[in-house]
Amino acid sequence: MKRGVKMRQQIKSGLFILACLIFGACSSTKNLKPGEILYTGADININPDSTAKIDNQKEVKGVLLDKTRPNPNKSILGIKFKLAMYNLAGEPKKSKGIRYWLRNKVGEPPVLLSEVKIPYNNAVLKSYLISQGYLQSEVNGDTVVSGKKGKALYTVVTGARYKINSVEFPKDSTGIVQIINQNKDKTLLKVGDNYDLETYKNERIRIDNDLKEQGYFYFNPDYLILQVDSTVGKHLVDIRIKVKDIAPDAGLKPYTIDKINIYPNYSLRRDSAIRNSTPEVYKDFNIYDTRHTYKPGLFDRLVFFKKDELYNRRDHNQSLNRMVNIGIFQNVKAEFLPVDSFRNNKLNLNIFLTPLKKNSLSFSLTGTSKSNNFVGSEAKLTQTTRNLFRGGEQLDVSVSG
């Protein structure tokens, strides 16, 4: 009997909430001031006067819709729940309490048609279409109002999508240009592919990566320009890759590694004392470790750079990964500084390492299941000792039960 009464109460509560939501949906424009129009969203028509569809038209339309601003009020099953809560709460008299919480935390104010900037959205949509190869695209937006509700309607005329006709790399055979040409067979720009701005950006990054492997530490993808000629005809483009004339000299020359300074017990508080201490010279390394915390041979395994070799990103990343993954350092930082203010082609490498505590204790609790169908939990206490024999070792002793 009690169970039936409780169920009826729950049904009544549910119906009441549903009624509030429906009422909120029906009255979403009730609290608007004179002249205000509720914005209900955008719609996009692509090539309305053409029977032919562009490639992936549905996906393109979805992307364009996502780029329009502002977004309308959120809705669930067609009901603008947050707006309904905002209206239901009314104007709170205090900056606390259920009414304030419902209006400002749960609800959201109405998004008005006056907030829609048609020229701005036109420009954003056109810019995206051009980046996808629709170089002659046009976008025209307008608003449609019905009662107290309104939407934005964008008409898109894409034109034909342009394709790559030819790709030309720099013709010079010296210095940086020679390296660019060495790997031009790996280019992402393929004759016959669609014009795609993102691919052009990735091509610049690819060239930058090649140069970083050959010592060009200060080169930057922005120093490359891809000149696009769309006057070829037949909706084709010719692409010419070149290094910008304004690229700084520092970015156009390869650098070798000079000094390799390692600070294994670095702390900002002791920065000056550590830097002014006398290093232990081991092979190509200057190791500033007056406490002799680590065996010098440890850094043979951690640092891949050698004196007088060209800087390369592969050794850079491998060194950082090895120092981080060994598990004995809290912070790892590699700093490359030009020797004599760029007057030569050398870099000093400073490696700052802040060690973790030698001993630590950790506790974990995990679920466990055994073959006898026992299901329970397992507690584990682990004692960790780092750098046990000064070679970066780590000893874990665990007790579980």
Side-chain angles (χ1 to χ4, degrees):
M1 184 70 178
K2 290 183 179 179
R3 185 177 179 182
V5 172
K6 186 176 181 180
M7 184 175 291
R8 284 195 295 272
Q9 289 176 342
Q10 290 176 341
I11 292 173
K12 288 180 180 178
S13 298
L15 291 174
F16 174 76
I17 294 173
L18 181 61
C20 288
L21 290 175
I22 294 173
F23 173 77
C26 295
S27 60
S28 59
T29 61
K30 182 179 179 180
N31 295 334
L32 294 177
K33 297 177 181 178
E36 290 184 337
I37 306 296
L38 181 68
Y39 177 58
T40 58
D43 196 9
I44 292 178
N45 288 331
I46 298 178
N47 299 327
D49 297 329
S50 174
T51 56
K53 290 187 176 182
I54 63 172
D55 294 337
N56 303 316
Q57 179 162 311
K58 185 176 180 181
E59 290 79 2
V60 172
K61 181 177 180 177
V63 173
L64 293 175
L65 282 172
D66 287 341
K67 290 183 176 295
T68 61
R69 292 293 182 273
N71 293 318
N73 292 104
K74 300 180 182 69
S75 62
I76 302 174
L77 299 177
I79 299 174
K80 298 184 182 299
F81 173 78
K82 286 180 171 291
L83 178 57
M85 292 298 102
Y86 181 89
N87 289 333
L88 188 64
E91 188 67 42
K93 296 180 180 179
K94 300 179 181 179
S95 59
K96 59 181 180 179
I98 185 66
R99 186 183 291 271
Y100 177 86
W101 174 82
L102 198 61
R103 185 178 178 90
N104 295 283
K105 301 298 182 181
V106 179
E108 64 179 12
V111 178
L112 303 177
L113 188 64
S114 58
E115 299 174 38
V116 180
K117 309 301 181 186
I118 294 294
Y120 171 81
N121 284 334
N122 285 344
V124 169
L125 301 188
K126 183 174 180 177
S127 176
Y128 171 77
L129 290 167
I130 290 175
S131 76
Q132 297 301 299
Y134 298 102
L135 303 186
Q136 296 180 335
S137 60
E138 293 293 338
V139 179
N140 290 295
D142 201 353
T143 56
V144 179
V145 177
S146 176
K148 287 191 174 184
K149 295 182 179 181
K151 66 178 182 177
L153 177 62
Y154 300 93
T155 301
V156 174
V157 179
T158 62
R161 195 173 191 181
Y162 281 64
K163 296 181 180 296
I164 298 174
N165 180 59
S166 67
V167 181
E168 180 183 326
F169 283 81
K171 298 185 183 302
D172 194 355
S173 59
T174 59
I176 194 171
V177 173
Q178 182 180 14
I179 296 173
I180 293 175
N181 279 296
Q182 281 177 357
N183 296 309
K184 66 181 181 181
D185 58 318
K186 298 178 182 177
T187 181
L188 304 177
L189 305 174
K190 307 293 185 183
V191 172
D193 282 0
N194 292 321
Y195 174 107
D196 189 326
L197 185 60
E198 193 65 30
T199 302
Y200 297 173
K201 292 179 180 178
N202 291 334
E203 174 68 2
R204 296 199 307 172
I205 294 172
R206 182 196 68 79
I207 294 174
D208 176 63
N209 287 336
D210 287 344
L211 293 171
K212 288 293 193 295
E213 293 299 329
Q214 298 294 326
Y216 289 84
F217 179 78
Y218 289 104
F219 192 81
N220 187 293
D222 289 338
Y223 300 160
L224 290 168
I225 184 171
L226 276 68
Q227 297 174 327
V228 179
D229 181 5
S230 61
T231 64
V232 183
K234 298 182 179 179
H235 305 111
L236 298 172
V237 295
D238 288 336
I239 300 173
R240 183 187 176 196
I241 301 170
K242 63 172 293 186
V243 179
K244 291 180 179 178
D245 295 332
I246 60 173
D249 291 340
L252 303 180
K253 59 185 181 180
Y255 287 80
T256 57
I257 302 298
D258 191 24
K259 294 179 181 179
I260 303 175
N261 303 314
I262 303 175
Y263 302 88
N265 275 295
Y266 182 78
S267 70
L268 191 60
R269 181 175 55 85
R270 298 175 56 242
D271 178 84
S272 180
I274 292 172
R275 290 176 184 265
N276 292 327
S277 62
T278 301
E280 176 182 356
V281 179
Y282 172 77
K283 296 184 178 180
D284 293 336
F285 306 143
N286 302 315
I287 304 173
Y288 292 78
D289 185 15
T290 56
R291 300 173 182 175
H292 301 288
T293 310
Y294 305 96
K295 294 177 181 178
L298 167 65
F299 301 105
D300 273 334
R301 296 187 284 118
L302 300 183
V303 182
F304 288 81
F305 285 106
K306 303 297 180 186
K307 183 178 174 63
D308 295 326
E309 77 171 6
L310 282 172
Y311 166 86
N312 68 86
R313 180 171 279 172
R314 181 178 59 256
D315 286 350
H316 188 167
N317 291 336
Q318 286 182 341
S319 297
L320 289 177
N321 288 337
R322 187 65 64 87
M323 287 184 283
V324 169
N325 293 332
I326 195 173
I328 61 174
F329 299 114
Q330 180 178 353
N331 294 309
V332 174
K333 177 185 176 183
E335 175 185 71
F336 294 87
L337 298 176
V339 177
D340 201 16
S341 300
F342 297 106
R343 290 189 179 90
N344 56 46
N345 297 9
K346 293 183 178 293
L347 296 170
N348 284 338
L349 168 58
N350 296 324
I351 299 175
F352 302 99
L353 305 169
T354 303
L356 289 163
K357 292 181 179 179
K358 187 176 183 65
N359 296 290
S360 65
L361 199 64
S362 61
F363 175 79
S364 63
L365 187 65
T366 58
T368 182
S369 176
K370 298 184 178 180
S371 57
N372 60 359
N373 294 326
F374 173 79
V375 177
S377 59
E378 180 182 66
K380 179 184 287 186
L381 188 66
T382 302
Q383 162 69 38
T384 299
T385 303
R386 300 178 180 86
N387 197 38
L388 188 61
F389 302 110
R390 298 175 50 237
E393 307 85 2
Q394 181 171 305
L395 176 65
D396 292 329
V397 178
S398 299
V399 178
S400 60

